[in-house]
């Protein structure tokens, strides 16, 4: 790694721990400090990569150096270097608790669900919220005690070659996007796995509420839905832990896309995937959308697709387009983002 890039990463590793209004000034001060140290070490000559590494090693761990620039560091409940490790541990614990409680609640719902779907969903969210609060409290208390008692953690100076790269803005992954995806996955599992007899209720012209998809098909494919949900959970977990587009994120996005295509192909190509009652009501209004896709321009499609009702084929095509766009975006940001 070139000296300029190494210095840039080191300064970023220090300033990311500081309040945003101080990062620029501290970054400039660190740059001047490093330049002076390099000039002194090289005695007016051209500093080598070895000189740069030696100077940065002398400055110390980025987290500890950041604490020296933060006047309120000692007033914090958890300061550096404990705070950086605390955040990493907290992310892993909260993610594990969320996944564990979600899976447990869904399995309980499958084996013994009774009552209103909204009550069940509220109970799932309540259990997850209580679990997260408990996990947050315990992790915070433990690290607060370690910091206040000045317990030294067994952490070494980061390998300078492995310092995190300074992320470009377009490479960052928003936490809100990850949360939305997790919520969507939970909703999907609740509607199509826990309460397949209800799934997506629909009413038209006094027909009463009827599910759009065939409950018998959903129950038959229930364990396929559960197994397939592992792919989006894995994808969003990697995004949550890295918070930036990278090759691992692209790989899990690819796995997620392939899994969704397989799931939808099996589900939508199953006979009577749509509820016959729903088809009877809507088929009289828009018959072309609820019969097999027999339009001449679509005859080139594989048989598994041509046997779908046109409505499902349109949905399938829309999802496919979204998956392709997401996959291309993830690949561009992961492999060519730095060049953009």
């Amino acid at each position: 790694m070139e000296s300029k890039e190494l210095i840039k990463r080191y300064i970023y590793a220090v300033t990311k721990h500081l309040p945003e209004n101080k990062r620029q000034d501290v970054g400039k001060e660190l740059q001047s400090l490093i330049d002076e140290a390099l000039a002194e070490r090289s005695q007016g000559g051209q500093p080598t990569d070895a000189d740069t590494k030696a100077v940065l090693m002398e400055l110390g761990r980025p987290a500890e150096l950041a604490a020296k620039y933060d006047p309120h560091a000692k007033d914090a409940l958890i300061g550096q270097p404990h705070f950086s490790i605390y955040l990493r541990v907290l992310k892993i614990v909260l993610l594990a608790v969320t996944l564990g409680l979600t899976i447990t609640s869904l399995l309980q719902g499958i084996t013994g669900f009774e009552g209103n779907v909204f009550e069940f969903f509220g109970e799932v969210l309540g259990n997850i919220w209580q679990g997260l609060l408990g996990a947050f409290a315990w992790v915070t208390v433990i690290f607060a005690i370690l910091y206040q008692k000045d317990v030294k953690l067994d952490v070494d100076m980061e390998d300078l070659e492995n310092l995190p790269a300074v992320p470009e803005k377009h490479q960052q992954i928003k936490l809100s996007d990850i949360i939305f995806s997790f919520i969507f996955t939970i909703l999907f599992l609740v509607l199509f796995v826990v309460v397949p007899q209800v799934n997506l209720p629909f009413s038209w012209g006094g027909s009463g509420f009827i599910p759009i998809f065939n409950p018998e098909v959903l129950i038959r494919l229930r364990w396929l839905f559960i197994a397939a949900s592992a792919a989006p959970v894995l994808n969003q977990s990697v995004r949550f832990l890295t918070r930036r587009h990278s090759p691992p994120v692209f790989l899990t996005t690819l796995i997620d896309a392939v899994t969704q295509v397989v799931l939808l192909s099996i589900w939508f190509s199953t006979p009577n995937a749509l509820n016959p009652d729903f088809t009877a009501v809507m088929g009289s209004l828009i018959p072309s959308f609820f019969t097999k896709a027999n339009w001449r321009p679509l005859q080139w499609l594989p048989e598994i697709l041509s046997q779908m009702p046109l409505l499902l084929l349109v949905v399938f095509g829309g999802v496919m387009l979204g998956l392709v766009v997401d996959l291309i975006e993830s690949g561009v940001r992961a492999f060519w983002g730095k060049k953009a």
Side-chain angles (χ1 to χ4, degrees):
M1 187 185 304
E2 295 183 358
S3 295
K4 289 184 179 180
E5 176 65 18
L6 186 59
I7 294 173
K8 184 178 178 182
R9 291 191 180 195
Y10 184 87
I11 293 176
Y12 168 73
V14 174
T15 57
K16 72 176 182 178
H17 297 294
L18 300 175
E20 192 169 351
N21 60 351
K22 295 185 177 181
R23 293 176 184 175
Q24 187 174 0
D25 292 338
V26 172
K28 291 180 179 179
E29 182 177 340
L30 274 177
Q31 184 68 60
S32 299
L33 182 64
I34 293 171
D35 290 341
E36 292 176 3
L38 286 175
E40 182 179 350
R41 176 174 288 273
S42 62
Q43 297 181 350
Q46 182 67 28
T48 63
D49 292 344
D51 292 333
T52 301
K53 292 180 180 180
V55 167
L56 297 183
M57 290 292 289
E58 290 175 359
L59 288 175
R61 299 182 68 252
E64 293 178 346
L65 186 58
K68 298 178 181 179
Y69 284 97
D70 187 355
H72 302 292
K74 295 301 181 182
D75 300 331
L77 180 64
I78 305 175
Q80 297 293 356
H82 296 68
F83 186 72
S84 297
I85 303 173
Y86 161 74
L87 286 181
R88 291 199 295 268
V89 173
L90 185 63
K91 287 179 181 180
I92 296 173
V93 170
L94 293 183
L95 181 60
V97 169
T98 301
L99 295 180
L101 290 178
T102 299
I103 294 173
T104 301
S105 299
L106 291 175
L107 290 177
Q108 290 177 348
I110 293 171
T111 56
F113 171 75
E114 293 181 2
N116 188 286
V117 60
F118 298 106
E119 293 178 356
F120 173 80
F121 188 63
E123 183 178 347
V124 171
L125 291 181
N127 291 337
I128 293 175
W129 177 248
Q130 291 181 9
L132 291 178
L133 286 178
F136 172 79
W138 277 108
V139 174
T140 302
V141 168
I142 291 173
F143 273 88
I145 294 174
L146 293 176
Y147 177 70
Q148 297 299 330
K149 295 298 183 181
D150 199 24
V151 176
K152 300 298 182 182
L153 300 179
D154 187 17
V155 290
D156 300 323
M157 170 69 182
E158 291 97 329
D159 185 351
L160 294 177
E161 296 296 334
N162 294 324
L163 285 175
V166 183
E168 300 291 342
K169 187 175 182 179
H170 59 271
Q171 286 184 301
Q172 299 175 3
I173 298 177
K174 295 181 180 179
L175 181 59
S176 58
D177 294 340
I178 300 173
I179 294 175
F180 175 80
S181 296
F182 271 122
I183 293 175
F184 178 83
T185 301
I186 294 174
L187 277 174
F188 177 86
L189 290 173
V190 169
L191 293 176
F192 296 110
V193 175
V194 177
V195 287
Q197 66 274 20
V198 178
N199 61 80
L200 298 177
F202 175 84
S203 179
W204 179 272
S207 61
F209 286 100
I210 54 177
I212 292 179
F213 291 99
N214 191 337
E216 295 181 0
V217 173
L218 296 180
I219 293 174
R220 192 161 66 247
L221 299 178
R222 171 180 279 168
W223 296 106
L224 176 63
F225 292 153
I226 295 176
S229 66
V233 169
L234 173 64
N235 183 20
Q236 296 307 320
S237 298
V238 173
R239 290 171 179 249
F240 178 76
L241 293 174
T242 61
R243 298 294 299 277
R244 58 175 299 175
H245 288 278
S246 60
V249 168
F250 173 76
L251 177 60
T252 55
T253 302
L254 176 61
I255 294 173
D256 186 13
V258 172
T259 303
Q260 290 191 49
V261 171
V262 172
L263 172 63
L264 291 177
S265 299
I266 295 175
W267 179 13
F268 287 179
S269 63
T270 301
N272 295 323
L274 290 172
N275 186 3
D277 295 335
F278 171 72
T279 303
V281 172
M282 297 304 296
S284 60
L285 300 174
I286 321 175
S288 60
F289 267 71
F290 296 88
T291 56
K292 292 182 180 180
N294 54 4
W295 291 5
R296 185 175 299 276
L298 302 178
Q299 296 304 309
W300 57 273
L301 291 174
E303 183 178 357
I304 192 174
L305 297 179
S306 63
Q307 296 303 312
M308 295 182 187
L310 188 58
L311 175 62
L312 293 185
L313 185 60
V314 171
V315 174
F316 183 84
V319 173
M320 281 289 295
L321 179 61
L323 292 174
V324 170
V325 171
D326 187 40
L327 195 60
I328 292 175
E329 180 186 20
S330 178
V332 169
R333 293 189 177 189
F335 296 104
W336 295 285
K338 294 181 180 180
K339 301 177 182 179

